[in-house]
Amino acid sequence: MNPATALATVLVDELVRCGLSDVVLAPGSRSAPLALALHAESRVRLHVRIDERSASYLALGLARRSERPVALICSSGTATANFHPAVIEAGESGVPLLVLTADRPPELRGTGANQTIDQLGLYGTATRWFAEVGVPEDRPGQVAYWRSLACRAYQRAAGPANPGPVHLNLAFREPLIPDGDTTWSEPLDGAESGPWVRARVAPPPVALHIPPTRRGVLVVGDGAANVRRYVAAAGMAGWPVLSEPNGGGRYGDHAISTYHHLLSTPEFAEAHRPDVVVTLGRPGLSRPLLSWLRGAGEHIVVAPDLDRWPDPTRSATQVAQAVEIPVASGDDTWLHAWRQADQAVRSATDEVLDLSGTSEPRLARDLVDALPNGALLFCGSSMPIRDLDQSMRPRRGIRLMANRGASGIDGVVSSAMGAALAHNGPSYALIGDLSFLHDQNGLILGPREPRPDLCFVVVNNDGGGIFSLLPQAAVRDPFERVFGTPHGVDLGYVAAATGTPYTLLGDISELPKALRGEGPRVVEMRTDREENVAVHERLREAAQEAVRSYLETQTQP
């Protein structure tokens, strides 16, 4: 057996023994040993994509939703560089990826050989671990090395405290395909009972106990762990829960869904300073929330890995792997005040949205309301996730995800595809037109590839809508070209190019009907950027008026 085939066969077998179930492959010549080994491996689900960037984000979506390592494979050269954005996102958001890059052997590096670049440590600090595997040789000891290396890579990617991407660089000499010879200097088989190395998970950390108080707040951001346990504890303690949509905690009686508007009103923010704030995950959608956190007297950040904890406001006073929120005795004045204010703002903003026609924030609100229980919603990282944050009502029964580690707009179509393939139920994606165009290759599916049940809801405002809500909009002369970036693309033709079913949404009332269908499909809603600015301004004014009216009722004798 040639060494390249032996290494690929052993590596794939050991990763499967560790628990690998999904692999994404971008085809190439130097990676042929891995491709052939995977094609012959019936225990994994193989996904093939012609574009490395799309492939990498597909793997990212699969791993994010399944919460298990997914292998990502490509050939040598610039193919490897196209993985980099997804590896960065996986590193920032703690998604377990196993990146296997094929490479030329050392004697071909630095010689001008075709498709050869420096791949050593290519992804820098974005990975949790990197290993140059070395050119395989037919000599005793190689099997133990390969199998133990595979176990180490799988477990390091999986975590459990700090999951993320792992990079193995695999140098293959020719021949790259099986030569018909099955002999080798030692048995290639692995252990019959499971992985070569069995990693044991450490016991749960001792929780930090905080003093009982009714004036506490639980904040839930992206990537939060053990959300249900903390939300239940906050409920028992009488704390309001301020959860971003993708945080997974916006449900139940304690969920304050209008916190962005509440904390945008200085009078409310100042009057509702808590004794303690406990933060899960990485909050980052609402500037008023982040500003409010800076004034928290005690701010406890819960981070499973104490080497990396999120604290963008530099306001953390304690960091712990786990926190015990005790039940506090006393009245419910604190929670009651938050809930009354939340209800007042919700009524005011819902009234604005109901009169806003086919507006972007209304689409976000109504889409969440229309989804069936058990649905997955993958959301774009620019305006769609912010519209959800400011307009989504509390509800149970759906899973909401987004690429908020590095918050880029790239790879959203492919990430949604991957997440949908790992989800057991109907899936949807809410994205903007630039995100859709940026990753339109994600719609390309070969005839033998698994096809998810996924509906893309695309908001088309012909450009970068978020910039119209930022200070850049004041620079009128160059704004439209260098920020607004109108494209004039007919998204129906983009969908038609890949045979993807397409619907143009004429009125928001048609949304439930437009969402119906099976397999990948696209629903487009066209909006106007200037009108979108006006709707957001009306929402802000209505919310602040409602908050101030509520505060006045509290001060009257």
Side-chain angles (χ1 to χ4, degrees), residues 465-540:
I466 192 171
F467 294 111
S468 296
L469 298 169
L470 297 177
Q472 290 92 324
V475 190
R476 299 300 302 174
D477 186 36
F479 175 82
E480 190 65 5
R481 184 178 183 193
V482 300
F483 293 108
T485 56
H487 50 78
V489 175
D490 189 325
L491 302 188
Y493 286 112
V494 175
T498 55
T500 306
Y502 165 84
T503 301
L504 178 62
L505 187 65
D507 188 86
I508 194 69
S509 62
E510 302 170 2
L511 179 63
K513 180 180 178 181
L515 295 176
R516 297 172 191 161
E518 295 180 354
R521 55 202 186 276
V522 175
V523 174
E524 176 189 359
M525 188 183 84
R526 295 174 183 168
T527 64
D528 180 83
R529 277 186 269 132
E530 291 189 2
E531 176 58 26
N532 186 49
V533 173
V535 170
H536 279 86
E537 181 62 23
R538 292 198 294 272
L539 285 170
R540 185 185 67 82

Side-chain angles (χ1 to χ4, degrees), residues 419-437:
L421 284 166
H423 182 70
N424 183 22
S427 299
Y428 306 82
L430 176 63
I431 63 178
D433 51 324
L434 294 188
S435 294
F436 182 74
L437 292 172

Side-chain angles (χ1 to χ4, degrees), residues 118-458:
D118 183 1
Q119 298 177 196
L120 303 187
L122 177 65
Y123 307 117
T125 58
T127 58
R128 299 292 187 266
W129 183 54
F130 164 74
E132 164 74 343
V133 177
V135 179
E137 299 175 356
D138 187 358
R139 59 182 177 83
Q142 291 278 275
V143 171
Y145 166 51
W146 297 336
R147 289 191 180 274
S148 63
L149 184 77
C151 292
R152 185 186 298 270
Y154 187 92
Q155 293 300 332
R156 188 63 194 88
N162 184 23
V166 165
H167 177 202
L168 299 183
N169 195 54
L170 297 147
F172 292 119
R173 287 194 181 103
E174 295 182 350
L176 302 174
I177 62 174
D179 53 11
D181 184 5
T182 59
T183 60
W184 192 255
S185 59
E186 61 181 341
L188 294 174
D189 297 337
E192 293 183 2
S193 57
W196 191 269
V197 178
R198 295 166 183 80
R200 303 300 180 188
V201 178
V206 177
L208 170 67
H209 288 258
I210 58 179
T213 177
R214 281 285 183 176
R215 295 180 61 87
V217 173
L218 177 66
V219 174
V220 187
D222 181 67
N226 301 317
V227 174
R228 291 193 176 276
R229 180 169 73 84
Y230 282 104
V231 168
M236 295 292 290
W239 291 11
V241 177
L242 317 184
S243 175
E244 295 181 347
N246 46 317
R250 190 174 291 196
Y251 61 88
D253 294 337
H254 291 68
I256 307 299
S257 62
T258 65
Y259 67 85
H260 173 85
H261 296 298
L262 292 173
L263 300 178
S264 296
T265 309
E267 300 94 317
F268 183 90
E270 185 59 35
H272 293 79
R273 296 288 179 187
D275 295 334
V276 60
V277 174
V278 173
T279 298
L280 310 177
R282 301 174 300 276
L285 289 176
S286 171
R287 290 187 179 184
L289 173 62
L290 295 177
S291 297
W292 183 74
L293 284 177
R294 292 188 182 97
E298 182 78 357
H299 180 195
I300 301 173
V301 172
V302 180
D305 175 37
L306 296 183
D307 290 333
R308 295 165 54 94
W309 68 77
D311 183 22
T313 60
R314 299 291 185 184
S315 59
T317 54
Q318 295 192 74
V319 179
Q321 291 179 292
V323 168
E324 188 70 34
I325 300 175
V327 176
S329 59
D331 61 41
D332 289 330
T333 304
W334 170 252
L335 177 61
H336 186 66
W338 280 89
R339 292 179 61 182
Q340 278 196 316
D342 181 55
Q343 290 169 6
V345 173
R346 171 56 59 198
S347 296
T349 54
D350 277 344
E351 184 176 351
V352 172
L353 292 177
D354 289 341
L355 298 174
S356 67
T358 54
S359 70
E360 297 179 22
R362 182 178 179 182
L363 174 65
R365 184 198 67 177
D366 291 1
L367 174 61
V368 172
D369 289 348
L371 297 185
N373 285 335
L376 167 72
L377 176 60
F378 202 97
C379 194
S381 290
S382 190
M383 275 310 298
I385 189 67
R386 289 173 171 83
D387 280 335
L388 279 172
D389 190 40
Q390 297 175 32
S391 65
M392 173 185 164
R393 293 184 277 232
R395 70 156 293 180
R396 301 176 187 269
I398 64 169
R399 183 73 174 266
L400 202 149
M401 312 186 88
N403 286 341
R404 289 293 299 173
S407 303
I409 71 165
D410 45 343
V412 177
V413 173
S414 299
S415 296
M417 285 279 195
L421 284 166
H423 182 70
N424 183 22
S427 299
Y428 306 82
L430 176 63
I431 63 178
D433 51 324
L434 294 188
S435 294
F436 182 74
L437 292 172
H438 201 287
D439 191 33
Q440 57 187 288
N441 280 3
L443 294 177
I444 301 174
L445 291 173
R448 298 176 62 183
E449 298 308 308
R451 305 179 71 84
D453 180 8
L454 173 61
C455 179
F456 290 96
V457 180
V458 184

Side-chain angles (χ1 to χ4, degrees), residues 21-27 38 44-50 55 58-59 62 70-73 417-418 420-422 445-446 448-452:
S21 60
D22 281 278
V23 179
V24 180
L25 169 71
L38 285 164
V44 298
R45 185 169 59 159
L46 178 62
H47 312 266
V48 181
R49 295 294 185 274
I50 61 173
L58 180 80
L62 280 161
V70 171
L72 174 63
I73 297 171
M417 285 279 195
L421 284 166
L445 291 173
R448 298 176 62 183
E449 298 308 308
R451 305 179 71 84

